Amino acid sequence: MTISTLTLNDGNQVPWIAFGTGTKLRQQDAQSPVENAIANGFTHLDGAQMYENEESLGIAIKASGTPRSALFVTTKLNQLQPNQTAKTALQVSLKKLGLEYVDLYLVHAPGHHTGQLKEVWKMMEECKRERLAKSIGVSNFGVAHLQEILEGAEFPPSVNQIEIHPYVWKSLQPVMALHKEHGIITSSYGGLTPLFRAPGGPLDPVIEKIRARLEFTRGQPVSLGQVLNKWLQSTVSWSSLSNSTSSKADRMREYLDTANVPELTAEEIESIENAGAQHYYKFLVLSD
Ligand SMILES: NC(=O)c1ccc[n+]([C@@H]2O[C@H](COP(=O)([O-])OP(=O)(O)OC[C@H]3O[C@@H](n4cnc5c(N)ncnc54)[C@H](OP(=O)(O)O)[C@@H]3O)[C@@H](O)[C@H]2O)c1
């Protein structure tokens, strides 16, 4: 299966869907799930220093036998330790991962670097200049955080990875507008939150109706998760990349199969957004 790619604002390509090693896999051995994910067709692997499992991600990459150039590996900068820089932290990650470079290096959370965002971004730029990270970006950044680093940046962030699903969509409009202005790819996590973290909300009947319509049009099964992933793909008018995870091979294949699900209509997208706007629920609350 070929996974379609998006073009980042520095010209690099990123596969539209990633297999994540956070949430359930955080502080867990990720080797077997990542090997399964690669065997089932994932090429983009989303890691982080904070997940404390980069070694097992690296072991899985090696064990998969997949050429390095066919994979897209992301890691994220955690809080800086005394005398550490983004570059030295990345060098530690690269050693754990057994890699020469990562494809994408993100600042995990603005709250880890309060009052130092500009300096930290300069350090991230050094990682890109030295080709330790092909692309650089951020995660969990709001408008004020982005504005702070964009001012005087040599490289604008290529990606902002944030929680996106219909129950936060309305509140995200200012940050989405800034992404569009600067060509920042919106990367989502928590996309399935309405299904299993906040079930029973106003979205449920809407996505079930759409799921049934898509299944009828396709003539093959379509899941509720695929409806939400399809919405993520269709609605972010700039471009979005989706991070998901699963312990189950069937679900991994289902995530990738989203590419074969028929397009949502404009009315369906609007109905998802209207239902989402009736209820606010964010599962990950990070301090500034
Ligand atoms: N940058 C950040 O701050 C940040 C924060 C959070 C996450 N992330 C990244 O994003 C990745 C994905 O995160 P996420 O967990 O938020 O993704 P998600 O796609 O919202 O959820 C994936 C989880 O949903 C479960 N699931 C899927 N379909 C289900 C269904 N029909 N019923 C019940 N459970 C279902 C899966 O469980 P099974 O294992 O049972 O399939 C899996 O644990 C993480 O691994 C990490 O790499 C980044």
Side-chain angles (χ1 to χ4, degrees):
M1 177 188 304
T2 314
I3 297 181
S4 64
T5 59
L6 305 164
T7 305
L8 299 175
N9 58 9
D10 61 5
N12 291 329
Q13 299 285 313
V14 55
W16 81 270
I17 186 162
F19 183 79
T21 57
T23 24
K24 270 192 185 174
L25 291 177
R26 190 172 167 172
Q27 295 175 324
Q28 304 294 315
D29 186 330
Q31 181 184 350
S32 161
V34 173
E35 275 191 61
N36 274 333
I38 296 173
N40 280 291
F42 277 90
T43 55
H44 180 172
L45 307 164
D46 183 76
Q49 293 160 3
M50 198 201 278
Y51 303 159
E52 295 178 31
N53 57 9
E54 286 172 303
E55 286 98 342
S56 58
L57 170 57
I59 292 168
I61 290 171
K62 197 164 181 202
S64 76
T66 310
R68 174 68 184 92
S69 58
L71 294 174
F72 188 103
V73 182
T74 297
T75 197
K76 309 185 194 84
L77 174 69
N78 202 357
Q79 258 153 332
L80 285 169
Q81 300 304 313
N83 300 320
Q84 204 178 34
T85 64
K87 178 180 161 182
T88 58
L90 178 56
Q91 284 167 328
V92 173
S93 286
L94 290 173
K95 196 161 180 210
K96 289 180 179 169
L97 291 163
L99 300 176
E100 306 265 299
Y101 67 91
V102 287
D103 297 273
L104 183 61
Y105 190 29
L106 304 178
V107 179
H108 205 141
H112 290 163
H113 314 282
T114 308
Q116 291 183 303
L117 282 184
K118 260 192 198 304
E119 291 93 310
V120 167
W121 188 249
K122 293 282 162 225
M123 295 177 191
M124 296 295 284
E125 291 177 327
E126 182 187 17
C127 297
K128 180 169 169 67
R129 245 183 278 113
E130 297 193 10
R131 307 290 292 161
L132 295 175
K134 286 196 172 177
S135 298
I136 51 174
V138 295
S139 180
N140 300 301
F141 271 45
V143 168
H145 308 122
L146 283 170
Q147 280 168 339
E148 195 175 333
I149 62 165
L150 280 164
E151 198 186 279
E154 181 184 352
F155 306 112
S158 290
V159 166
N160 185 15
Q161 186 180 113
I162 52 178
E163 179 176 340
I164 309 186
H165 48 75
Y167 290 148
V168 288
W169 180 241
K170 195 175 163 193
S171 69
L172 289 176
Q173 293 317 297
V175 81
M176 300 308 296
L178 201 62
H179 287 181
K180 192 166 186 184
E181 190 184 332
H182 294 276
I184 300 168
I185 292 276
T186 308
S187 168
S188 72
Y189 66 79
L192 301 179
T193 293
L195 276 187
F196 71 95
R197 293 189 182 102
L203 198 64
D204 286 15
V206 175
I207 53 173
E208 172 49 33
K209 188 175 164 202
I210 296 171
R211 190 205 62 74
R213 197 282 293 172
L214 291 171
E215 191 164 281
F216 179 78
T217 307
R218 186 184 186 189
Q220 278 186 52
V222 171
S223 71
L224 291 169
Q226 286 177 320
V227 176
L228 284 173
N229 264 325
K230 202 75 199 168
W231 172 79
L232 278 171
Q233 270 194 298
S234 348
T235 199
V236 182
S237 57
W238 169 240
S239 267
S240 98
L241 120 76
S242 186
N243 289 278
S244 209
T245 191
S246 183
S247 50
K248 302 178 179 68
D250 280 358
R251 214 166 262 158
M252 292 179 191
R253 285 193 288 272
E254 177 194 308
Y255 291 158
L256 292 171
D257 176 59
T258 304
N260 304 316
V261 172
E263 294 307 316
L264 302 180
T265 64
E267 291 73 27
E268 286 170 337
I269 292 173
E270 200 184 334
S271 67
I272 290 175
E273 289 168 13
N274 286 342
Q278 290 167 36
H279 181 67
Y280 178 79
Y281 178 85
K282 190 171 187 315
F283 88 93
L284 198 61
V285 180
L286 295 153
S287 65
D288 273 1

